Amino acid sequence: MKRLILISCLLISFSFCVKAKRTPFDPNSPSSFLTSLLVSTTTFSGSSSSSGTIPTLSFQSQTYIYVLNETISINPSVANVRSCEVTPNLPTGLVINNSTCSITGSVATSQSPATYSVKARNGSYSSESNIVISIYPVYRMYVTSTQFTGNITITAADTNCNSNANKPNSGTYKAMLVGSTRRACITGYCLNGTSAIENFDWVFKPYASYFRTDGTTLIGKTDMSAMFSSITSSSIIRPVSNSTFYYWTGIDTGYTNSSNNCSSWNSSSAGSFGIVGNSGTLSMYSNDVFACNTSNYLLCVEQ
């Protein structure tokens, strides 16, 4: 019995001695084995980011403007993200991807500019960014089926735009015709912005998208001053088709009112002149000057 006790004591002492010589960095030590086991378990979780790492979230822009039924895809740059959320709820038709924070879809109802807070999470850490989304109606443009000499007033031109056979829908339209009661700019390219002195009963809206009668072919998008960036901008698609239609406008270079306006659209004299636009070129506003006794179309813009 004494021998057994002695042998047991010797074995225990030997074990303690071996353990005492091992360091925590010894791959064969119990502590190193436990550490390795824990590390392997964390990696095995499949997380692409370490728990507790601060996520990053960055949008290319803070403002996003779309039209009804347009395909929307807002893709921020993210890192170390485990989940995403947005408040308040997105418009019906839009969804947020839980892992990339991308917002996609399309919206069938117009919406004024609204702010959304997008939050990326990783464990107890989060990163947040605000964006503004606007959904505008689809505005159409068309050329009348009938022609008029230069003695058509702006009021009569608007009436014709709303009763013409080519009118594509039940919306309200105005003729893109300027004179004493309508103008786009009083200074070249509306240097005063969209103030009342510049946009007076003007037919276009700021930050709006205009389409052909099919409602899907984009003609162009206006800027903050309710104009296209340039009268002959390559970003403007011909407003009706590739065919040539001349229509009265009275608009000079820089969107200002021209003196060539058939005496404020009250003259059909061969000695008076009016500026026309051309649907067959990129000069949709100011393309040429015709005598007021000639007949030209009207370009009608949905309001």
Side-chain angles (χ1 to χ4, degrees), residues 73-152:
S73 183
I74 303 173
N75 302 298
S77 298
V78 297
N80 304 319
V81 174
R82 288 189 173 182
S83 66
C84 301
E85 60 188 59
V86 59
T87 53
N89 292 333
L90 292 168
T92 301
L94 294 185
V95 295
I96 185 168
N97 186 292
N98 190 52
S99 58
T100 66
C101 296
S102 295
I103 296 173
T104 57
S106 63
V107 181
T109 304
S110 59
Q111 171 183 285
S112 299
T115 301
Y116 296 90
S117 177
V118 180
K119 182 176 290 186
R121 293 186 180 277
N122 186 356
S124 60
Y125 294 99
S126 66
S127 180
E128 189 171 355
S129 183
N130 290 335
I131 59 173
V132 176
I133 299 177
S134 305
I135 309 296
Y136 287 106
V138 171
Y139 297 105
R140 293 172 172 82
M141 296 166 63
Y142 81 93
V143 168
T144 56
S145 60
T146 50
Q147 295 176 296
F148 309 88
T149 59
N151 66 341
I152 182 171

Side-chain angles (χ1 to χ4, degrees), residues 67-68 138-142 209-221 228 235-242:
V67 296
L68 296 181
V138 171
Y139 297 105
R140 293 172 172 82
M141 296 166 63
Y142 81 93
S209 298
Y210 291 86
F211 294 79
R212 288 183 178 178
T213 56
D214 57 16
T216 58
T217 303
L218 180 67
I219 296 170
K221 296 183 178 182
F228 296 102
S235 65
I236 298 175
I237 302 300
R238 294 170 178 85
V240 181
S241 67
N242 292 337

Side-chain angles (χ1 to χ4, degrees), residues 142 156-167:
Y142 81 93
D158 289 350
T159 298
N160 276 279
C161 280
N162 285 290
S163 60
N164 191 264
N166 282 354
K167 183 181 175 182

Side-chain angles (χ1 to χ4, degrees), residues 12-28:
I12 291 171
S13 299
F14 177 76
S15 176
F16 277 124
C17 289
V18 172
K19 289 179 180 178
K21 290 180 181 179
R22 292 176 179 169
T23 69
F25 302 101
D26 187 339
N28 295 316

